[in-house]
Amino acid sequence: MRMLFKQRILSFLDSYDIYDENGEVLFIVEGRWSWTHHLEIYDATHHYLASIKQKAFTLLPKFEIFIGNEHMCTIESEFYLF
C-alpha cells in the first residue's frame, strides 16, 4: 500500500495527514508542546492510536513509542564514524 504524507503549512506544531492511494485520510498526526518532539497519532475519525516521544537530555536521539499508555519500544540512534 502506498501512503501520501502531507504537512499542514499553517500549523505552529508538527501536524500531518497521511492519505491512502485513493486520497482518503488514514491517519492524523499532531504535535504537542514539549521540550522535545512529541507526536500523537489518530485514526481518520480522530480516535487516539499511539504516541511517539523523544527522550530529553540524551547524547543521540532516542524515541519511545506508546500504544495507548503502554510502552511498546524505544528507537535509538547509534554513532558511526564511517
Side-chain angles (χ1 to χ4, degrees):
M1 168 188 277
R2 295 181 69 187
M3 290 186 236
L4 176 64
F5 170 78
K6 288 186 180 179
Q7 183 175 11
R8 293 186 199 126
I9 295 176
L10 297 176
S11 176
F12 290 107
L13 299 170
D14 292 335
S15 188
Y16 312 93
D17 290 329
I18 300 174
Y19 299 88
D20 65 9
E21 295 172 332
N22 300 320
E24 301 291 325
V25 175
L26 291 175
F27 304 103
I28 300 165
V29 180
E30 295 181 353
R32 297 284 178 231
W33 287 104
S34 177
W35 289 102
T36 59
H37 287 95
H38 179 168
L39 302 174
E40 292 189 352
I41 304 167
Y42 300 90
D43 65 10
T45 59
H46 217 271
H47 288 100
Y48 172 79
L49 297 174
S51 63
I52 302 171
K53 299 176 183 178
Q54 183 179 10
K55 294 278 289 182
F57 310 113
T58 59
L59 183 60
L60 296 172
K62 184 184 288 188
F63 297 89
E64 294 180 320
I65 299 176
F66 295 86
I67 296 180
N69 290 327
E70 185 179 349
H71 180 264
M72 296 305 292
C73 66
T74 300
I75 300 171
E76 299 180 47
S77 294
E78 292 184 3
F79 180 75
Y80 292 102
L81 287 176
F82 300 101

